[in-house]
């Protein structure tokens, strides 16, 4: 099992940017699909973005496509979520997740390891 720790959340004005980081430890980072999910108050947790190991194929939800960029640094066991043009509706707790040999997927159950979450608040 891999341990994940998110950082980089905070308060930002609409239109601004934040970069979230997720540091992985415990088990090798190799072959893990990494994903970001978020959960706003009163809502179900939803998929945001995912990236595969190796070639780094990416997948985004429609709500963030064109605004957010997921990337990873395999040498440093870290995945990032660059969030641009933030909107108040992006306000949520953002969770990093890992799924070994998961491929490119948005299915939450494919991600077996989860971070503790980091709060992102976008003010209008």
């Amino acid at each position: 099992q891999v341990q994940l720790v998110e950082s980089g959340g905070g308060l930002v004005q609409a239109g601004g940017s934040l970069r979230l980081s997720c540091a992985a430890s415990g088990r090798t980072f190799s072959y893990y699909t990494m994903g970001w999910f978020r959960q706003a108050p009163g809502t179900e947790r939803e998929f945001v973005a995912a990236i595969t190991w190796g070639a780094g194929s990416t997948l985004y939800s429609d709500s963030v496509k064109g605004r957010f960029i997921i990337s990873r640094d395999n040498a440093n066991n870290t995945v990032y979520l660059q969030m641009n043009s933030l909107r108040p509706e992006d306000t949520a707790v953002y969770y990093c997740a890992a799924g070994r040999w998961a491929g490119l997927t948005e299915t939450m159950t494919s991600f077996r390891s989860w971070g503790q979450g980091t709060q992102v608040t976008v003010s209008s």
Side-chain angles (χ1 to χ4, degrees), residues 1-4 32 34 96-99 110-115:
Q1 190 172 3
V2 63
Q3 289 75 50
L4 306 173
Y32 278 87
M34 302 299 298
C96 177
S110 295
F111 297 86
R112 300 300 180 91
S113 299
W114 294 82

Side-chain angles (χ1 to χ4, degrees), residues 23-92:
S25 63
R27 189 171 181 175
T28 179
F29 201 53
S30 298
Y31 312 119
Y32 278 87
T33 294
M34 302 299 298
W36 288 96
F37 294 76
R38 67 187 183 186
Q39 187 168 16
T43 70
E44 296 290 315
R45 190 171 299 184
E46 66 175 350
F47 171 78
V48 176
I51 185 168
T52 59
W53 181 86
S57 298
T58 57
L59 181 68
Y60 298 93
S61 69
D62 289 340
S63 63
V64 308
K65 191 175 298 181
R67 299 189 297 121
F68 292 8
I69 301 171
I70 187 171
S71 62
R72 65 191 296 165
D73 182 350
N74 288 344
N76 292 295
N77 294 347
T78 304
V79 63
Y80 304 95
L81 185 68
Q82 178 66 46
M83 304 185 295
N84 302 313
S85 301
L86 283 162
R87 306 164 180 169
E89 53 263 42
D90 294 318
T91 296

Side-chain angles (χ1 to χ4, degrees), residues 3 97 107 120:
Q3 289 75 50
T107 303
V120 172

